[in-house]
Amino acid sequence: GVPLFQEKRLVPRKKLTGLLPGRITVKETGEQIDCKPFDISKSGLGIITVSSLDEGSILTLKTHDQEISLQVPEKSQILENKTYIDMV
């Protein structure tokens, strides 16, 4: 079929499957938000959340050995609780 929209990202994304949910932290408030990644690229991450994310917010993703800073871009693509966030 015909795509519903034209992909405007410069870096291709890869779909993620089988990953467990995790948490990201809003840097400004310390609020922890449950999320689940659904795709990834060299420049960002697509996540599903129940909570809405404010444009411009800086988020922290903690792994076992590092912290990764991400930002909700202005005019971010938000569709059915799916948000694309960019590496900072």
Side-chain angles (χ1 to χ4, degrees), residues 5-11 77:
F5 63 92
Q6 179 67 33
E7 178 62 58
K8 296 179 183 176
R9 297 214 170 248
L10 299 175
V11 180
Q77 280 187 305

Side-chain angles (χ1 to χ4, degrees), residues 14-66:
K14 295 187 179 189
K15 289 190 183 273
L16 299 173
T17 58
L19 292 177
L20 297 174
R23 287 196 176 140
I24 53 175
T25 303
V26 179
K27 185 174 183 177
E28 294 86 0
T29 64
E31 176 187 8
Q32 291 192 346
I33 297 175
D34 292 328
C35 68
K36 182 170 181 170
F38 65 89
D39 72 16
I40 193 167
S41 75
K42 289 182 181 180
S43 63
L45 181 68
I47 59 171
I48 300 171
T49 63
V50 174
S51 305
S52 62
L53 301 171
D54 295 332
E55 293 178 359
S57 292
I58 302 292
L59 310 171
T60 303
L61 174 65
K62 292 183 181 182
T63 67
H64 66 282
D65 63 349
Q66 65 180 334

Side-chain angles (χ1 to χ4, degrees), residues 68-86:
I68 301 168
S69 292
L70 302 156
Q71 183 173 26
V72 180
E74 292 186 25
K75 300 180 183 175
S76 62
Q77 280 187 305
I78 300 174
L79 179 63
E80 296 179 6
N81 294 343
K82 290 183 179 180
T83 305
Y84 294 99
I85 52 181
D86 295 329

